[in-house]
Amino acid sequence: MPSGGAAGMEPEPDQPKAVAGGGRRKHLAMLERLSKHSSSSTTSTASALPDSTSASPVVAFLTRFAAAKLAAESALSACRASSSPEDEATASLAAAAAAIDDLDRLVAESSHALPPYELRSALAAAADLRAAHRAAASEIRPKKSFSFRNKSRAPKNPPQDPATVPPPQPPPPEQPKPSIDVILPGFGFRARNGATLVKDLRVSNDKDGDFTLADLVSCEVFLKGKCRALYVHKLRDCRVFVGAVIGSVLIEDVEGCTFVMAAHQIRIHEARATDFYLRVRSRPIIEDCSGVRFAPHALKYDGIDEDLKESGLEEETGNWANVDDFKWLRAVQSPNWCLVPEEERLQTVDISEIHEREHDS
Amino acid sequence: MGLLSIIRKIKRKEKEMRILMVGLDNSGKTTIVLKINGEDTSVISPTLGFNIKTIKYQKYSLNIWDVGGQKTIRSYWRNYFEQTDGLVWVVDSSDVRRLDDCRAELHNLLKEERLAGASLLVFANKQDIQGALKPAEIAKVLDLAAMEKSRHWQIVGCSAATGDGLLQGFDWLVQDVASRIYVLD
């Protein structure tokens, strides 16, 4: 009967075959040929020996498939039933996964001998079980990572996330802000207009700290000595001279400025019409910039050689000219930056005579 | 399906883990990876694209994907989400001004369903810099407590420059991922 049923199903694959094109059609045709071959070889014997499993691989498969499917289903229902002890649920979940894996393997092994309909319904049954297992897994352990295919979890997760994540968001923005000034009182120049700002990091104890320049307009900034990191934000028409930065410099939103500095890393965001005189260990990068120009380092003061050396910056790497523009990832030169023509470059600036004392306008 | 079973089995045999490193630019992702791999960290250019490192760690083989953090390329992070076992979010603890950005990007990332199962390690990097915020303060600003129930997470203070805290962080991450993935062993 099963083999006869399989033979009766044969016309059906002709429909998808007619619609489907290319490789799929070829594949189906091959499966069909194989199934014809196997079922024709079985139909002759099947009538004589209807119960013989050796005679029909299809019957054998269906029997084994039914058994494996039953095993997977019972493991799944076991883990749904054992709701309270998590270990138990986890164990039966794992057993279910193993049973479904067995099912997959069985289908894969027998696929060449199966009629198309049998194959498709077996694959569909395995997929259903897989989906049921996934649902059970997310119920029991929502964090279980089945990273291969968690797309169908989409309807489950998003409703939770927006509900749990955004509401606590609004309050924290207020908390960190007061702490900025509390924690970093002396580590920077902020909100000044038309001032000359001088800091000698060698005489203070701040040499392991970072330094911030923010919201400055028409200022001259002189920073001698070394610091670990430099943050620059919102500068307009300023001239900035910095000794050595052992770590990285992050510059954001500057316009009409000149920077002279040495550092290990330099990142420049949203700069317009600004010149950079740099010595840098790695390649400087720009992003969302226009009209920025680059030139080699040009700064001098008593002791700068020691500062550079102790910061690992004594060597001129030539990287000041190797600028990466994240908004221009092509082989040709970015229109957003260029080199300062030699005749326009600053002469080496000597700031030895400038001492720590603020001249406010 | 047969292929997936095979891949999964191979993955189990070699005890492989896929770790995704993300965070804002300038947070020190590449430096952390090189430092933990015992490489020179004195010349590192900002990452244009990504780096992959395979590191033997305890009995595991970590595939670490270090993806650039510049604003322009953050939208490409999603190309690396598939099959991520552990997520490392790196924070520049001395960049107080951008912590709001940092939190927004992190929570945006965590909405991603393909990362729903991944353990989260937050590195509060640059602790060696005076004035850097402490891990507890970073946790508060990033609102990590909000996902107490929905995800395994841990915050660890570290310094990629000195190496402090890096092993502690990776120890936690590897243990946590292992306890989920290799539950059958």
Side-chain angles (χ1 to χ4, degrees):
Chain A
M1 169 59 197
S3 60
M9 287 302 173
E10 265 179 29
E12 204 201 277
D14 282 340
Q15 290 156 355
K17 193 178 130 188
V19 207
R24 177 159 164 76
R25 193 159 115 196
K26 227 179 233 174
H27 181 67
L28 281 173
M30 184 195 71
L31 285 176
E32 194 191 358
R33 240 181 294 126
L34 283 168
S35 68
K36 256 185 195 149
H37 172 74
S38 59
S39 53
S40 66
S41 70
T42 52
T43 36
S44 54
T45 47
S47 53
L49 295 161
D51 293 330
S52 164
T53 47
S54 62
S56 166
V58 180
V59 178
F61 166 77
L62 286 176
T63 316
R64 288 172 65 196
F65 185 82
K69 192 176 162 203
L70 193 67
E73 274 167 355
S74 62
L76 265 181
S77 59
C79 69
R80 275 202 213 94
S82 64
S83 50
S84 47
E86 204 188 308
D87 297 358
E88 209 176 303
T90 312
S92 44
L93 202 60
I100 296 172
D101 284 350
D102 284 346
L103 211 59
D104 282 347
R105 203 175 314 120
L106 187 59
V107 177
E109 278 167 11
S110 337
S111 60
H112 68 278
L114 285 180
Y117 173 77
E118 261 41 20
L119 183 60
R120 269 189 292 149
S121 60
L123 286 176
D128 285 351
L129 277 170
R130 186 71 76 184
H133 173 262
R134 210 157 45 223
S138 61
E139 265 171 44
I140 294 162
R141 293 190 304 157
K143 292 179 220 75
K144 184 155 173 76
S145 103
F146 261 103
S147 41
F148 283 101
R149 54 182 97 181
N150 44 15
K151 285 199 174 105
S152 61
R153 268 202 274 167
K156 285 207 165 54
N157 280 331
Q160 295 171 356
D161 283 354
T164 51
V165 177
Q169 270 185 358
E174 316 309 329
Q175 293 164 3
K177 275 173 188 151
S179 67
I180 301 174
D181 297 328
V182 175
I183 294 169
L184 309 166
F187 289 70
F189 297 125
R190 293 182 174 83
R192 305 296 286 271
N193 196 332
T196 299
L197 306 164
V198 186
K199 179 87 177 168
D200 194 333
L201 296 163
R202 294 168 297 183
V203 298
S204 62
N205 292 321
D206 305 341
K207 59 180 182 298
D208 279 332
D210 56 338
F211 206 89
T212 299
L213 306 174
D215 301 300
L216 305 180
V217 180
S218 305
C219 290
E220 292 217 305
V221 180
F222 301 95
L223 216 55
K224 295 186 195 176
K226 310 186 289 276
C227 65
R228 291 296 316 277
L230 178 67
Y231 299 97
V232 179
H233 183 231
K234 265 197 190 149
L235 265 55
R236 297 288 178 271
D237 306 314
C238 293
R239 281 156 52 91
V240 178
F241 304 90
V242 179
V245 181
I246 301 170
S248 63
V249 179
L250 184 66
I251 298 173
E252 215 169 297
D253 190 6
V254 297
E255 188 165 351
C257 298
T258 300
F259 289 88
V260 184
M261 55 177 58
H264 278 241
Q265 282 191 331
I266 297 179
R267 292 175 174 84
I268 302 163
H269 303 149
E270 295 159 50
R272 294 163 299 277
T274 293
D275 289 351
F276 296 90
Y277 292 76
L278 304 178
R279 173 175 295 174
V280 53
R281 295 269 301 186
S282 57
R283 299 168 70 93
I285 70 117
I286 62 172
E287 189 176 42
D288 302 310
C289 292
S290 60
V292 295
R293 304 192 301 174
F294 292 83
H297 190 244
L299 183 65
K300 207 167 95 180
Y301 58 80
D302 291 337
I304 192 172
D305 289 339
E306 286 74 34
D307 286 341
L308 290 174
K309 198 168 176 199
E310 286 165 23
S311 312
L313 291 165
E314 71 274 29
E315 178 196 351
E316 178 50 76
T317 58
N319 270 336
W320 60 269
N322 297 328
V323 181
D324 285 328
D325 183 353
F326 274 66
K327 283 288 181 186
W328 191 263
L329 302 176
R330 299 174 213 186
V332 292
Q333 168 67 33
S334 157
N336 300 321
W337 68 276
C338 62
L339 305 182
V340 183
E342 278 194 42
E343 62 275 14
E344 280 184 44
R345 281 179 198 168
L346 285 180
Q347 298 298 307
T348 298
V349 183
D350 190 341
I351 59 170
S352 300
E353 298 310 312
I354 295 168
H355 296 292
E356 197 161 335
R357 185 159 46 95
E358 293 187 13
H359 309 274
D360 281 72
S361 56
Chain B
M1 289 205 180
L3 180 61
L4 283 186
S5 321
I6 293 166
I7 292 172
R8 192 170 303 142
K9 213 173 287 165
I10 291 172
K11 203 175 170 190
R12 274 188 194 146
K13 199 167 85 190
E14 291 181 353
K15 302 262 188 221
E16 228 177 71
M17 285 180 194
R18 183 170 152 135
I19 310 284
L20 180 65
M21 305 263 304
V22 276
L24 299 192
D25 51 307
N26 197 37
S27 55
K29 297 175 289 295
T30 307
T31 311
I32 286 176
V33 175
L34 294 188
K35 190 77 184 179
I36 207 160
N37 203 28
E39 293 178 51
D40 176 30
T41 57
S42 70
V43 186
I44 297 174
S45 292
T47 305
L48 216 172
F50 64 92
N51 308 306
I52 313 170
K53 280 256 182 278
T54 301
I55 296 178
K56 289 272 175 244
Y57 195 88
Q58 300 166 0
K59 56 182 174 173
Y60 303 101
S61 165
L62 307 188
N63 272 324
I64 302 186
W65 294 66
D66 159 31
V67 189
Q70 302 298 328
K71 204 181 272 172
T72 310
I73 56 177
R74 283 178 209 160
S75 57
Y76 297 103
W77 285 354
R78 69 169 82 96
N79 298 349
Y80 304 89
F81 291 165
E82 215 65 60
Q83 298 172 38
T84 293
D85 299 312
L87 191 62
V88 181
W89 181 261
V90 185
V91 183
D92 176 352
S93 310
S94 63
D95 187 2
V96 182
R97 188 179 65 80
R98 293 201 304 166
L99 278 179
D100 284 351
D101 283 356
C102 181
R103 181 189 50 238
E105 289 285 358
L106 174 62
H107 285 277
N108 203 15
L109 183 77
L110 296 178
K111 279 183 205 146
E112 176 58 49
E113 57 174 278
R114 284 173 292 171
L115 297 175
S119 310
L120 171 68
L121 169 64
V122 178
F123 265 136
N125 193 22
K126 308 202 188 179
Q127 290 296 317
D128 56 313
I129 295 183
Q130 262 177 32
L133 295 188
K134 296 281 166 284
E137 296 169 295
I138 299 277
K140 211 162 136 195
V141 178
L142 295 186
D143 201 18
L144 296 180
M147 54 182 155
E148 199 58 72
K149 293 203 171 62
S150 58
R151 182 182 297 277
H152 291 196
W153 65 271
Q154 179 76 269
I155 184 164
V156 175
C158 75
S159 160
T162 64
D164 287 346
L166 295 183
L167 290 180
Q168 190 198 336
F170 272 93
D171 279 348
W172 175 82
L173 185 66
V174 167
Q175 287 316 316
D176 192 76
V177 170
S179 67
R180 281 186 302 113
I181 297 190
Y182 302 117
V183 67
L184 296 177
D185 300 321

